[in-house]
């Protein structure tokens, strides 16, 4: 009888154990978990703080009794494995030693605790990863006496925690060390999210590190002190600054790891040590775009990897080939999503790319409640391969990011997107879906019918060039223009633009055009190009994106040229 030991009971471990049993009724399967709970939804914890998830019990996805009774798995709770001898095929706990034929190492990761002054003396703080953390936050941070909570770290969990604490009636300060929140995304999209957080009453501090806790004689944090001297009075602190893979037991046995300590595994979830498999947040899997080992600590990958490991230890063959950083997050009424590589990653890796950004309705304009969807796609200008995408909006973001993620896996070209047969009905999509619109715009760019300039590029261009060197044209109506525009823009409304062609041509300058969202700017661009003015670019996403990205706005006097 084959003996399988599984270490770790969060997501990958139970998934592996259950799959092994489904594939082999005779194997002896023992699962060790150092804590009192298995298979709980860490990703759901923030939503339990606000009551969206109604109770602690709802976070318990699988009860130990289910694994024991339905799957005949020997579940050992509160028994931590403290040593492994992979040569003798033994694991050791404080209770006993156990032999195995194959081992599945699914120990996950632990929260990083930064070296903040007085943190070891302080009591009213917690990380947010385990049920122990959840219980402490619930019993201390969510009390009526706790009015203000500081969240340190504005990644996925930090932002979700901040939102749900605000929904629970708390005053919230969110502190992030990098230049923007949600730094998996480009700064522009991080700024979009930060604007939403701020508008909902959350104080957002970026490029700020917590250096010290100011505590009283009982160790209770009274305030948080940042590296620039800012002091924030608070009643509780939640740390969400990153995680570290729990791999020391196998590293000591010589297992191969990447820089952050995550175990290298192949597509069958085998580590570099014979008969030892691994799955979950403690492993590094292949990035399907770069073919390099990468780190993707998400529940989707933990469950797929666990399933593959469980099948393979009993002689089946299931591959988990890898991933490419697809992610999504709710930020109050908005959604931010991404897939593949973005500009920062592509630049770092020296991969040639261009971007196309569109603002399009997620539903038709005639259908009630239309909302804009911002889509930026990164693609190879030579091969037209889709390299990545980032999206922001209130409706339909999840659908479109999954289309783009699938397109990357299928190695579609960006120009193929316009040929996709996507579902259409007014409640769900316009006749020209935003994904299709992105493809159409790209076709125009590749055919040299249009040229986009991003708001980042425009900002840099304006900083490095004199106003006399270019002509910035706002093609919106006079009323739109007078409510606010990009500094130094002159207002030539689209419907009167042809009257200005002679003057514009006489300027012999670089022409930069924008409208509210991009479409009128494109039409203005065509008018100029068809009249022999070719040194013209359209601001991607128009004034809407500029306004969301920058606070550099001018309220002009009427400057309409007759």
């Amino acid at each position: 009888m084959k003996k399988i030991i599984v270490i770790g009971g969060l997501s990958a471990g139970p998934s592996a154990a259950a799959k092994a049993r489904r594939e082999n009724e005779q194997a002896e399967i023992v699962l060790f978990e150092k804590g009192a709970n298995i298979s709980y939804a860490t990703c759901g914890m923030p939503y339990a703080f606000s009551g969206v998830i109604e109770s602690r019990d709802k976070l318990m996805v699988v009860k130990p009794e289910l694994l024991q009774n339905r799957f005949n798995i020997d579940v050992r709770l509160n028994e931590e494995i403290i040593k492994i001898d992979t040569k003798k095929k033994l694991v050791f706990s404080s209770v006993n030693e156990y032999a195995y034929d194959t081992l599945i190492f699914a120990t996950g990761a632990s929260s990083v605790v930064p070296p903040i002054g007085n943190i070891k003396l302080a009591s009213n703080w917690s990380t947010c990863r385990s049920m122990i953390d959840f219980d402490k936050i619930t019993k201390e941070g969510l009390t009526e006496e706790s009015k203000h909570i500081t969240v340190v770290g504005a990644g996925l969990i930090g932002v979700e925690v901040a939102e749900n604490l605000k929904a629970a009636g708390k005053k919230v300060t969110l502190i992030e060390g990098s230049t923007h929140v949600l730094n998996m995304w480009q700064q522009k999209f991080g700024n979009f999210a930060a604007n939403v957080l701020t508008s909902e009453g959350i104080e957002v501090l970026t490029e700020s590190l917590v250096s010290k806790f100011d505590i009283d004689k009982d160790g209770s944090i009274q305030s948080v002190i940042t590296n620039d001297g800012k002091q924030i009075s608070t009643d509780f602190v939640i740390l969400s600054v990153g995680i570290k893979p729990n791999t020391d037991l196998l590293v000591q046995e010589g297992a191969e790891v990447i820089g952050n300590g995550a175990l290298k595994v192949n597509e069958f979830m085998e580590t570099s040590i014979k008969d030892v498999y691994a799955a979950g947040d403690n492993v590094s899997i292949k990035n399907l775009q770069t073919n390099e080992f990468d780190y993707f600590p998400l529940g989707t990958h933990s469950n797929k990897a666990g399933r593959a490991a469980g099948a393979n230890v009993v002689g089946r063959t299931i591959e988990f080939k890898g991933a490419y950083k697809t992610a999504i997050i709710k930020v109050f009424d908005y959604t931010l999503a991404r897939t593949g590589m973005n500009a920062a990653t592509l630049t770092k890796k020296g991969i040639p790319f261009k971007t196309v950004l569109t603002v399009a309705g997620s539903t038709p304009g005639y259908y009630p409640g239309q909302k804009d969807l911002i889509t930026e796609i990164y693609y190879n200008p030579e091969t037209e391969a889709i390299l990545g995408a980032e999206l922001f909006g209130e409706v339909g973001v999840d659908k479109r990011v999954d289309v783009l993620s699938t397109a990357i896996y299928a190695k579609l070209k960006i120009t193929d997107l316009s040929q996709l047969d996507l579902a259409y009905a007014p409640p769900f999509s316009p006749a020209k879906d935003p994904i299709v619109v992105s493809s159409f715009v790209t076709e125009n760019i590749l055919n040299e019918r249009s040229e986009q300039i991003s708001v980042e590029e425009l900002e840099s261009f304006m900083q490095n060039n004199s106003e006399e060197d270019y002509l910035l044209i706002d093609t919106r109506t006079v009323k739109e223009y007078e409510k606010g525009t990009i500094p130094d823009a002159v207002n030539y409304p689209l419907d009167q633009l042809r009257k200005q062609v002679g003057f514009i041509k006489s300027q012999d300058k670089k022409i930069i055009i924008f409208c509210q969202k991009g479409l009128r700017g494109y039409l203005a661009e065509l008018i100029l190009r068809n009249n022999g003015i070719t040194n013209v670019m359209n601001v991607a996403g128009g004034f809407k994106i500029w306004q969301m990205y920058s606070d550099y706005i001018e309220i002009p006097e009427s400057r309409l040229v007759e």
Side-chain angles (χ1 to χ4, degrees):
M1 180 185 297
K2 187 166 191 176
K3 184 164 187 176
I4 301 164
I5 287 181
V6 181
I7 304 174
L10 186 50
S11 58
S15 177
K19 181 61 174 176
R21 174 59 72 221
R22 292 196 298 273
E23 297 291 344
N24 188 314
E25 182 62 25
Q26 284 71 45
E28 180 183 350
I29 305 172
V30 183
L31 184 147
F32 290 92
E33 166 53 43
K34 67 179 181 180
N37 302 288
I38 66 164
S39 195
Y40 50 87
T42 56
C43 295
M45 286 181 185
Y47 301 97
F49 297 151
S50 62
V52 171
I53 293 175
E54 296 176 356
S55 68
R56 183 185 191 276
D57 188 61
K58 294 288 187 181
L59 296 172
M60 301 300 174
V61 179
V62 175
K63 300 290 177 65
E65 295 77 21
L66 180 68
L67 283 185
Q68 291 166 336
N69 299 333
R70 183 171 298 174
F71 292 97
N72 189 27
I73 293 166
D74 183 359
V75 178
R76 308 286 182 93
L77 298 178
N78 297 307
E79 187 170 353
E80 182 178 5
I81 299 301
I82 56 177
K83 182 182 176 183
I84 300 173
D85 187 332
T86 56
K87 293 182 177 61
K88 295 181 179 179
K89 292 192 172 183
L90 294 172
V91 301
F92 301 84
S93 73
S94 57
V95 177
N96 208 339
E97 65 179 58
Y98 306 90
Y100 67 84
D101 294 311
T102 52
L103 175 68
I104 300 176
F105 194 74
T107 51
S110 300
S111 296
V112 172
V113 177
I116 298 170
N118 288 333
I119 193 168
K120 292 182 179 179
L121 301 175
S123 57
N124 51 328
W125 67 272
S126 177
T127 53
C128 186
R129 189 164 178 83
S130 68
M131 290 310 300
I132 294 173
D133 294 339
F134 176 82
D135 291 339
K136 182 170 185 178
I137 293 168
T138 302
K139 292 174 183 177
E140 298 181 26
L142 295 180
T143 62
E144 187 175 341
E145 294 75 23
S146 180
K147 307 294 185 184
H148 181 280
I149 299 180
T150 299
V151 180
V152 182
L156 295 170
I157 297 299
V159 169
E160 289 172 343
V161 167
E163 174 185 338
N164 284 278
L165 291 175
K166 183 66 181 177
K170 304 301 179 184
K171 293 182 178 179
V172 181
T173 297
L174 180 62
I175 301 176
E176 169 59 39
S178 69
T179 58
H180 60 284
V181 305
L182 297 169
N183 61 17
M184 285 177 67
W185 281 261
Q186 290 290 108
Q187 177 153 357
K188 174 170 56 192
F189 285 86
N191 288 356
F192 297 166
N195 292 340
V196 175
L197 294 168
T198 301
S199 70
E200 294 289 343
I202 293 174
E203 181 184 24
V204 179
L205 304 177
T206 55
E207 297 184 272
S208 187
L209 299 172
V210 176
S211 59
K212 186 179 180 181
F213 290 153
D214 179 32
I215 61 175
D216 64 16
K217 59 182 177 59
D218 297 319
S220 178
I221 300 170
Q222 303 300 298
S223 63
V224 168
I225 302 171
T226 64
N227 58 333
D228 58 0
K230 186 176 179 67
Q231 191 161 338
I232 303 151
S233 296
T234 197
D235 300 305
F236 197 85
V237 176
I238 297 175
L239 299 178
S240 182
V241 298
I243 57 175
K244 182 183 183 305
N246 297 323
T247 57
D248 288 349
L249 293 180
L250 284 186
V251 170
Q252 293 166 9
E253 292 293 294
E256 293 182 15
V257 297
I258 63 170
N260 71 343
L263 297 162
K264 290 183 178 181
V265 293
N266 63 16
E267 64 271 29
F268 306 109
M269 310 315 297
E270 295 172 303
T271 70
S272 58
I273 300 175
K274 182 175 171 52
D275 294 325
V276 178
Y277 295 71
D281 290 353
N282 58 344
V283 307
S284 168
I285 57 179
K286 285 290 182 72
N287 184 312
L288 294 182
Q289 291 184 292
T290 67
N291 203 36
E292 299 170 346
F293 281 101
D294 211 333
Y295 191 53
F296 307 94
L298 290 172
T300 52
H301 308 316
S302 291
N303 279 281
K304 286 190 283 188
R307 177 178 180 271
N312 294 330
V313 297
V314 293
R316 301 294 186 263
T317 301
I318 291 182
E319 294 181 82
F320 178 37
K321 296 178 181 179
Y324 39 96
K325 285 191 165 79
T326 303
I328 191 168
I329 183 172
K330 175 183 175 294
V331 186
F332 289 94
D333 292 332
Y334 291 82
T335 304
L336 201 64
R338 70 176 314 283
T339 187
M341 296 181 282
N342 63 14
T345 302
L346 292 164
T347 301
K348 182 179 178 180
K349 292 186 174 297
I351 299 172
F353 72 96
K354 290 191 72 172
T355 70
V356 58
L357 185 145
T358 57
V359 180
S362 58
T363 52
Y366 62 80
Y367 191 83
Q370 185 193 53
K371 302 293 183 182
D372 284 333
L373 179 64
I374 300 168
T375 305
E376 185 160 29
I377 302 176
Y378 311 95
Y379 65 98
N380 185 309
E382 298 298 324
T383 66
E384 301 178 12
I386 302 168
L387 302 173
E390 297 182 320
L391 304 91
F392 179 81
E394 294 177 78
V395 176
V397 175
D398 53 343
K399 167 184 173 178
R400 276 75 182 202
V401 76
D402 283 344
V403 169
L404 290 167
S405 174
T406 304
I408 289 173
Y409 186 84
K411 294 181 169 50
L412 297 184
K413 297 179 180 181
I414 190 167
T415 47
D416 289 329
L417 297 176
S418 63
Q419 303 301 321
L420 295 178
D421 185 8
L422 301 178
Y424 161 63
F428 307 105
S429 171
K432 289 188 287 190
D433 189 89
I435 297 298
V436 173
V437 170
S438 293
S439 185
F440 285 158
V441 172
T442 307
E443 289 173 2
N444 290 331
I445 293 171
L446 292 171
N447 293 330
E448 299 183 349
R449 295 282 292 161
S450 177
E451 183 178 354
Q452 285 193 342
I453 180 172
S454 70
V455 292
E456 297 97 327
E457 291 169 335
L458 177 59
E459 181 181 58
S460 176
F461 179 85
M462 292 170 66
Q463 289 171 351
N464 293 294
N465 290 272
S466 169
E467 182 186 350
E468 288 74 32
D469 296 332
Y470 62 94
L471 183 62
L472 183 62
I473 302 175
D474 186 338
T475 65
R476 298 176 300 159
T477 65
V478 175
K479 286 184 179 179
E480 288 176 297
Y481 171 76
E482 290 180 343
K483 289 179 181 178
T485 189
I486 300 173
D488 301 325
V490 63
N491 184 213
Y492 299 161
L494 174 62
D495 294 343
Q496 286 83 47
L497 182 63
R498 288 180 177 87
K499 298 177 183 179
Q500 307 301 331
V501 167
F503 172 75
I504 294 170
K505 186 177 292 188
S506 72
Q507 295 300 292
D508 194 26
K509 296 178 180 179
K510 182 181 286 293
I511 310 299
I512 301 173
I513 288 179
F514 68 94
C515 61
Q516 183 62 23
K517 300 177 185 178
L519 175 58
R520 283 177 288 172
Y522 167 63
L523 297 177
E525 184 185 6
L526 290 182
I527 290 172
L528 297 185
R529 288 182 182 276
N530 289 331
N531 280 278
I533 302 171
T534 57
N535 191 18
V536 55
M537 293 185 290
N538 182 24
V539 177
F543 185 69
K544 178 183 179 77
I545 299 300
W546 178 269
Q547 194 171 28
M548 295 171 69
Y549 169 74
S550 172
D551 56 5
Y552 193 34
I553 305 295
E554 180 178 85
I555 306 297
E557 298 177 6
S558 179
R559 294 173 60 184
L560 176 63
V561 176
E562 299 295 340

